[in-house]
Amino acid sequence: MGLTSKKVLLLAVLVAVALFVLTIWLWPRLSKKNWRAVLGRIGLLVATQLSLFATIGLYANNSFGFYASWADLFGQEQEPGVVTEYQTGPGGTKLRMLGTQRVSVQNGARPAAGGRIDKVLVRGEHSQIASPAYVYLPPQYFQKKYAHRKFPAALVLTGYPGTAEALYKKLHFPQTQHELLKQHKMRPTVLVMMRPTVAPPRDTECMDIPNGPQTETFFTKDLRADISEHYRIGREAKSWGVIGDSTGGYCALKMTMRHPEAYSSAVALSGAYKAPRDATTGDLFGGNRQLERENNLLWRQRNLPAPPVNLLVTSSKQGEGNYQQTLRFIEQTKSPSRVSSIILDSGGHNFNTWRREIPAALEWLGNNLKA
């Protein structure tokens, strides 16, 4: 049974309830003062507490999509499943198709009405990184009226550790765009949904780490080239944007500010403005202080020329830790960069808050991109 299976969660609940009942039932018998009774009480309490923590952890993981599988949880590599390869012209493409699925919207079984989600494996020529992605193709992609048109694309990133599946199962990016398209509030845009953790289990913060994973190269060169080669997507920066939450938000801002030739617009939902340094990241900069400063976005604004890009940042006056830094980021933004914001009165660093921000953010992003 998979980590996110409802059967696993139900089994954990049943075990926790059974242990609680067993503890109540056996407690009188274990009230003696001999060592066996003491060990029995300790064992029951520990087992009950562990089962409760496991149940809560499984429920939180199912709700917020931190880990997709047991191997993901324990940091093990996973081999991709059975691969079906497709060719799109004489030379084919570097992408491998892993499967397709419908979008959970009305008439979602028909791509021309609901769009389609492709699962692909992106293999980076320059970065030597291979990572799966979920590509949402809007309904217009399959309609005759748009048969010879190219589309803009947005890279959509989770936080760390996060799962790409959470972007359409929990944050509902495709469903939100589908509704916005019905209301004629944005241009049809291809969404490339991924986690920023392309070299698990390490949190690379979308960095080209000295003597380590070249994540920045993967996202700014390899991914764009491979996706544009396979799908009808514009190749220029004006056709590409990036939106992410938490770590993904920091990545969105950083990659757009550092690589305006790759991305023209960025949205950071509760994003940070510099990379953390902890057990999951290790030393991202190889002791290079200048490289560290250049990846600090507030320092970058103060000391380096501003790129010609569009930036949208979000925060909350209450409940969000990045509020003051977000105000400073807005204040420090210089022309030709353009900045916008979504500031809520209250909200936390969670899916519920981001779901409130995504419709306006996606509308803003979609209307800033051009194929």
Side-chain angles (χ1 to χ4, degrees):
M1 292 185 288
L3 177 64
T4 59
S5 168
K6 292 182 180 179
K7 292 181 181 178
V8 172
L9 179 58
L10 179 60
L11 180 61
V13 171
L14 292 175
V15 170
V17 171
L19 284 171
F20 177 76
V21 172
L22 188 63
T23 301
I24 299 298
W25 180 261
L26 294 179
W27 200 259
R29 300 185 188 182
L30 298 173
S31 60
K32 298 177 183 179
K33 296 184 179 180
N34 60 61
W35 65 271
R36 290 189 179 87
V38 172
L39 286 179
R41 293 198 296 271
I42 292 173
L44 280 174
L45 288 173
V46 169
T48 303
Q49 291 292 327
L50 288 176
S51 67
L52 286 172
F53 283 130
T55 301
I56 293 170
L58 287 168
Y59 177 77
N61 187 66
N62 285 6
S63 298
F64 295 101
F66 297 120
Y67 300 97
S69 65
W70 296 108
D72 190 18
L73 175 64
F74 294 111
Q76 300 169 344
E77 292 289 340
Q78 292 190 72
E79 291 295 326
V82 177
V83 172
T84 304
E85 296 196 38
Y86 296 86
Q87 298 240 329
T88 58
T93 175
K94 298 182 183 68
L95 285 186
R96 283 191 174 185
M97 290 289 298
L98 303 179
T100 63
Q101 56 187 284
R102 58 169 289 176
V103 184
S104 56
V105 296
Q106 188 176 7
N107 297 320
R110 293 178 50 241
R116 189 181 76 196
I117 296 176
D118 291 353
K119 184 177 182 181
V120 302
L121 182 67
V122 183
R123 296 174 293 182
E125 180 181 356
H126 298 92
S127 63
Q128 299 301 304
I129 289 173
S131 184
Y134 292 88
V135 180
Y136 168 66
L137 303 170
Q140 289 78 3
Y141 193 90
F142 303 96
Q143 296 170 5
K144 290 183 179 179
K145 178 181 176 181
Y146 295 85
H148 301 290
R149 292 196 189 182
K150 289 190 175 182
F151 289 77
L155 172 62
V156 187
L157 295 174
T158 67
Y160 175 86
T163 66
E165 291 90 341
L167 294 167
Y168 62 88
K169 290 182 178 179
K170 303 296 182 181
L171 290 175
H172 307 143
F173 272 93
Q175 297 89 332
T176 302
Q177 183 183 167
H178 188 268
E179 189 62 31
L180 291 171
L181 290 173
K182 285 168 57 178
Q183 299 171 16
H184 305 288
K185 289 186 174 180
M186 69 175 290
R187 298 185 184 94
T189 303
V190 174
L191 303 179
V192 184
M193 298 175 284
M194 301 185 69
R195 60 193 300 191
T197 318
V198 293
R202 189 172 188 182
D203 175 14
T204 62
E205 296 287 318
C206 301
M207 274 280 303
D208 276 355
I209 300 174
N211 302 313
Q214 303 295 287
T215 310
E216 192 169 14
T217 295
F218 174 82
F219 281 125
T220 58
K221 290 184 179 179
D222 294 335
L223 175 75
R224 293 175 61 259
D226 292 356
I227 293 291
S228 296
E229 182 181 343
H230 186 81
Y231 296 103
R232 300 196 314 273
I233 293 174
R235 294 176 178 268
E236 298 178 18
K238 67 179 182 180
S239 299
W240 279 87
V242 54
I243 177 173
D245 62 76
S246 191
T247 299
Y250 166 68
C251 289
L253 292 176
K254 181 180 75 167
M255 291 191 297
T256 302
M257 293 171 71
R258 284 172 57 84
H259 296 277
E261 79 286 353
Y263 297 105
S264 61
S265 301
V267 178
L269 306 173
S270 303
Y273 299 96
K274 67 176 182 178
R277 186 166 186 168
D278 54 32
T280 63
T281 63
D283 182 6
L284 295 172
F285 310 103
N288 187 327
R289 292 298 301 276
Q290 181 60 24
L291 183 62
E292 184 173 359
R293 283 191 290 265
E294 289 176 3
N295 282 271
N296 181 323
L297 304 185
L298 295 174
W299 182 93
R300 191 175 189 88
Q301 283 182 317
R302 292 192 301 268
N303 295 278
L304 296 177
V309 294
N310 306 305
L311 308 171
L312 172 64
V313 292
T314 81
S315 189
S316 304
K317 294 178 182 177
Q318 294 183 351
E320 185 59 76
N322 76 338
Y323 177 61
Q324 293 299 330
Q325 286 190 321
T326 297
L327 295 183
R328 193 180 314 158
F329 182 87
I330 294 169
E331 204 174 286
Q332 289 185 175
T333 302
K334 299 175 291 189
S335 181
S337 293
R338 296 191 299 172
V339 67
S340 305
S341 71
I342 299 173
I343 305 295
L344 302 178
D345 287 333
S346 64
H349 201 78
N350 54 55
F351 281 11
N352 182 60
T353 298
W354 299 329
R355 278 192 292 262
R356 295 162 59 197
E357 297 167 341
I358 286 171
L362 204 52
E363 179 181 347
W364 177 91
L365 182 60
N367 289 326
N368 272 297
L369 302 179
K370 300 176 183 179

